[in-house]
PDB file of all heavy atoms in Angstrom:
ATOM      1  N   LEU Q 596      -2.693 -26.478  -0.039  1.00  0.00           N
ATOM      2  CA  LEU Q 596      -1.563 -25.642   0.443  1.00  0.00           C
ATOM      3  C   LEU Q 596      -1.922 -24.771   1.659  1.00  0.00           C
ATOM      4  O   LEU Q 596      -1.028 -24.185   2.262  1.00  0.00           O
ATOM      5  CB  LEU Q 596      -1.076 -24.716  -0.702  1.00  0.00           C
ATOM      6  CG  LEU Q 596      -0.297 -25.339  -1.844  1.00  0.00           C
ATOM      7  CD1 LEU Q 596      -0.119 -24.342  -2.972  1.00  0.00           C
ATOM      8  CD2 LEU Q 596       1.080 -25.809  -1.346  1.00  0.00           C
ATOM      9  N   HIS Q 608       4.108 -13.454  11.101  1.00  0.00           N
ATOM     10  CA  HIS Q 608       3.359 -12.600  12.031  1.00  0.00           C
ATOM     11  C   HIS Q 608       4.044 -12.499  13.390  1.00  0.00           C
ATOM     12  O   HIS Q 608       4.078 -11.435  13.989  1.00  0.00           O
ATOM     13  CB  HIS Q 608       1.932 -13.143  12.217  1.00  0.00           C
ATOM     14  CG  HIS Q 608       1.074 -12.218  13.019  1.00  0.00           C
ATOM     15  ND1 HIS Q 608       0.219 -11.316  12.441  1.00  0.00           N
ATOM     16  CD2 HIS Q 608       0.938 -12.054  14.368  1.00  0.00           C
ATOM     17  CE1 HIS Q 608      -0.398 -10.621  13.381  1.00  0.00           C
ATOM     18  NE2 HIS Q 608       0.034 -11.057  14.559  1.00  0.00           N
ATOM     19  N   ASN Q 610       7.136 -12.651  14.001  1.00  0.00           N
ATOM     20  CA  ASN Q 610       8.441 -12.007  13.903  1.00  0.00           C
ATOM     21  C   ASN Q 610       8.370 -10.813  12.991  1.00  0.00           C
ATOM     22  O   ASN Q 610       9.051 -10.751  11.957  1.00  0.00           O
ATOM     23  CB  ASN Q 610       9.457 -13.040  13.355  1.00  0.00           C
ATOM     24  CG  ASN Q 610       9.571 -14.246  14.259  1.00  0.00           C
ATOM     25  OD1 ASN Q 610      10.313 -14.166  15.255  1.00  0.00           O
ATOM     26  ND2 ASN Q 610       8.890 -15.321  13.961  1.00  0.00           N
ATOM     27  N   GLY Q 651       7.128 -20.776 -17.489  1.00  0.00           N
ATOM     28  CA  GLY Q 651       6.110 -21.752 -17.835  1.00  0.00           C
ATOM     29  C   GLY Q 651       6.662 -22.845 -18.733  1.00  0.00           C
ATOM     30  O   GLY Q 651       7.687 -22.683 -19.405  1.00  0.00           O
ATOM     31  N   GLY Q 689       6.468  -3.610  20.274  1.00  0.00           N
ATOM     32  CA  GLY Q 689       6.305  -2.378  19.502  1.00  0.00           C
ATOM     33  C   GLY Q 689       6.230  -2.570  18.000  1.00  0.00           C
ATOM     34  O   GLY Q 689       6.200  -1.587  17.243  1.00  0.00           O
ATOM     35  N   GLY Q 695      -1.753  -6.971   7.549  1.00  0.00           N
ATOM     36  CA  GLY Q 695      -1.918  -8.203   6.804  1.00  0.00           C
ATOM     37  C   GLY Q 695      -0.850  -8.470   5.771  1.00  0.00           C
ATOM     38  O   GLY Q 695      -1.024  -9.349   4.911  1.00  0.00           O
ATOM     39  N   GLY Q 718       5.264 -18.440 -20.965  1.00  0.00           N
ATOM     40  CA  GLY Q 718       5.884 -17.149 -20.674  1.00  0.00           C
ATOM     41  C   GLY Q 718       6.540 -17.172 -19.301  1.00  0.00           C
ATOM     42  O   GLY Q 718       7.003 -18.223 -18.817  1.00  0.00           O
ATOM     43  N   ALA Q 748       8.386  -7.303 -16.488  1.00  0.00           N
ATOM     44  CA  ALA Q 748       6.992  -7.747 -16.584  1.00  0.00           C
ATOM     45  C   ALA Q 748       6.229  -6.824 -17.528  1.00  0.00           C
ATOM     46  O   ALA Q 748       6.428  -5.590 -17.458  1.00  0.00           O
ATOM     47  CB  ALA Q 748       6.320  -7.775 -15.218  1.00  0.00           C
ATOM     48  N   ASP Q 749       5.396  -7.391 -18.360  1.00  0.00           N
ATOM     49  CA  ASP Q 749       4.560  -6.575 -19.241  1.00  0.00           C
ATOM     50  C   ASP Q 749       3.385  -5.986 -18.457  1.00  0.00           C
ATOM     51  O   ASP Q 749       2.877  -4.886 -18.785  1.00  0.00           O
ATOM     52  CB  ASP Q 749       4.003  -7.435 -20.375  1.00  0.00           C
ATOM     53  CG  ASP Q 749       5.117  -7.951 -21.296  1.00  0.00           C
ATOM     54  OD1 ASP Q 749       6.069  -7.226 -21.557  1.00  0.00           O
ATOM     55  OD2 ASP Q 749       5.017  -9.136 -21.692  1.00  0.00           O
ATOM     56  N   GLY Q 803      -2.357  29.884  14.304  1.00  0.00           N
ATOM     57  CA  GLY Q 803      -2.544  28.473  14.008  1.00  0.00           C
ATOM     58  C   GLY Q 803      -3.972  28.034  14.076  1.00  0.00           C
ATOM     59  O   GLY Q 803      -4.437  27.242  13.260  1.00  0.00           O
ATOM     60  N   GLN Q 811      -9.572  23.932   6.032  1.00  0.00           N
ATOM     61  CA  GLN Q 811     -10.689  23.082   5.622  1.00  0.00           C
ATOM     62  C   GLN Q 811     -11.396  23.597   4.363  1.00  0.00           C
ATOM     63  O   GLN Q 811     -12.067  22.862   3.662  1.00  0.00           O
ATOM     64  CB  GLN Q 811     -11.702  22.947   6.764  1.00  0.00           C
ATOM     65  CG  GLN Q 811     -11.110  22.355   8.031  1.00  0.00           C
ATOM     66  CD  GLN Q 811     -10.339  21.041   7.791  1.00  0.00           C
ATOM     67  OE1 GLN Q 811     -10.842  20.143   7.131  1.00  0.00           O
ATOM     68  NE2 GLN Q 811      -9.124  21.000   8.310  1.00  0.00           N
ATOM     69  N   VAL Q 826      -8.402  16.779   3.793  1.00  0.00           N
ATOM     70  CA  VAL Q 826      -7.295  17.515   4.463  1.00  0.00           C
ATOM     71  C   VAL Q 826      -7.507  17.425   5.983  1.00  0.00           C
ATOM     72  O   VAL Q 826      -8.546  17.823   6.464  1.00  0.00           O
ATOM     73  CB  VAL Q 826      -7.258  18.999   4.035  1.00  0.00           C
ATOM     74  CG1 VAL Q 826      -6.114  19.736   4.760  1.00  0.00           C
ATOM     75  CG2 VAL Q 826      -7.093  19.146   2.534  1.00  0.00           C
ATOM     76  N   ALA Q 836       3.791  27.146  28.871  1.00  0.00           N
ATOM     77  CA  ALA Q 836       3.586  27.817  30.133  1.00  0.00           C
ATOM     78  C   ALA Q 836       2.286  28.624  30.068  1.00  0.00           C
ATOM     79  O   ALA Q 836       1.914  29.176  29.021  1.00  0.00           O
ATOM     80  CB  ALA Q 836       4.752  28.763  30.406  1.00  0.00           C
ATOM     81  N   GLY Q 871      -0.909  33.783   3.113  1.00  0.00           N
ATOM     82  CA  GLY Q 871      -1.773  34.933   3.242  1.00  0.00           C
ATOM     83  C   GLY Q 871      -2.214  35.215   4.662  1.00  0.00           C
ATOM     84  O   GLY Q 871      -2.168  36.353   5.128  1.00  0.00           O
ATOM     85  N   ASN Q 887       4.130  12.465  -1.162  1.00  0.00           N
ATOM     86  CA  ASN Q 887       4.423  11.072  -0.864  1.00  0.00           C
ATOM     87  C   ASN Q 887       3.861  10.166  -1.958  1.00  0.00           C
ATOM     88  O   ASN Q 887       4.038  10.442  -3.130  1.00  0.00           O
ATOM     89  CB  ASN Q 887       3.881  10.730   0.516  1.00  0.00           C
ATOM     90  CG  ASN Q 887       4.676  11.431   1.616  1.00  0.00           C
ATOM     91  OD1 ASN Q 887       5.840  11.739   1.460  1.00  0.00           O
ATOM     92  ND2 ASN Q 887       4.024  11.682   2.731  1.00  0.00           N
ATOM     93  N   PRO Q 889       1.893   8.416  -4.882  1.00  0.00           N
ATOM     94  CA  PRO Q 889       0.930   8.921  -5.869  1.00  0.00           C
ATOM     95  C   PRO Q 889      -0.425   8.220  -5.735  1.00  0.00           C
ATOM     96  O   PRO Q 889      -0.592   7.281  -4.951  1.00  0.00           O
ATOM     97  CB  PRO Q 889       1.580   8.534  -7.201  1.00  0.00           C
ATOM     98  CG  PRO Q 889       2.963   8.051  -6.886  1.00  0.00           C
ATOM     99  CD  PRO Q 889       2.952   7.598  -5.467  1.00  0.00           C
ATOM    100  N   GLY Q 942     -11.460 -10.306   0.556  1.00  0.00           N
ATOM    101  CA  GLY Q 942     -12.140 -10.208   1.825  1.00  0.00           C
ATOM    102  C   GLY Q 942     -11.359 -10.798   2.984  1.00  0.00           C
ATOM    103  O   GLY Q 942     -10.734 -11.873   2.843  1.00  0.00           O
ATOM    104  N   TRP Q 967      -6.705 -16.487  -7.179  1.00  0.00           N
ATOM    105  CA  TRP Q 967      -6.800 -15.329  -8.077  1.00  0.00           C
ATOM    106  C   TRP Q 967      -5.492 -15.104  -8.788  1.00  0.00           C
ATOM    107  O   TRP Q 967      -5.470 -14.911 -10.008  1.00  0.00           O
ATOM    108  CB  TRP Q 967      -7.207 -14.096  -7.279  1.00  0.00           C
ATOM    109  CG  TRP Q 967      -7.335 -12.866  -8.145  1.00  0.00           C
ATOM    110  CD1 TRP Q 967      -8.295 -12.604  -9.095  1.00  0.00           C
ATOM    111  CD2 TRP Q 967      -6.456 -11.717  -8.155  1.00  0.00           C
ATOM    112  NE1 TRP Q 967      -8.070 -11.381  -9.698  1.00  0.00           N
ATOM    113  CE2 TRP Q 967      -6.949 -10.825  -9.130  1.00  0.00           C
ATOM    114  CE3 TRP Q 967      -5.332 -11.394  -7.432  1.00  0.00           C
ATOM    115  CZ2 TRP Q 967      -6.327  -9.611  -9.399  1.00  0.00           C
ATOM    116  CZ3 TRP Q 967      -4.720 -10.166  -7.686  1.00  0.00           C
ATOM    117  CH2 TRP Q 967      -5.221  -9.278  -8.666  1.00  0.00           C
ATOM    118  N   LEU Q 971      -5.082 -15.842 -12.740  1.00  0.00           N
ATOM    119  CA  LEU Q 971      -4.665 -14.660 -13.518  1.00  0.00           C
ATOM    120  C   LEU Q 971      -3.509 -15.028 -14.431  1.00  0.00           C
ATOM    121  O   LEU Q 971      -3.478 -14.709 -15.619  1.00  0.00           O
ATOM    122  CB  LEU Q 971      -4.315 -13.562 -12.547  1.00  0.00           C
ATOM    123  CG  LEU Q 971      -4.071 -12.127 -13.052  1.00  0.00           C
ATOM    124  CD1 LEU Q 971      -4.360 -11.141 -11.909  1.00  0.00           C
ATOM    125  CD2 LEU Q 971      -2.646 -11.939 -13.500  1.00  0.00           C
TER     126      LEU Q 971
END
Side-chain angles (χ1 to χ4, degrees):
L596 286 171
H608 187 95
N610 299 277
D749 297 321
Q811 301 309 311
V826 179
N887 291 332
W967 180 69
L971 191 153

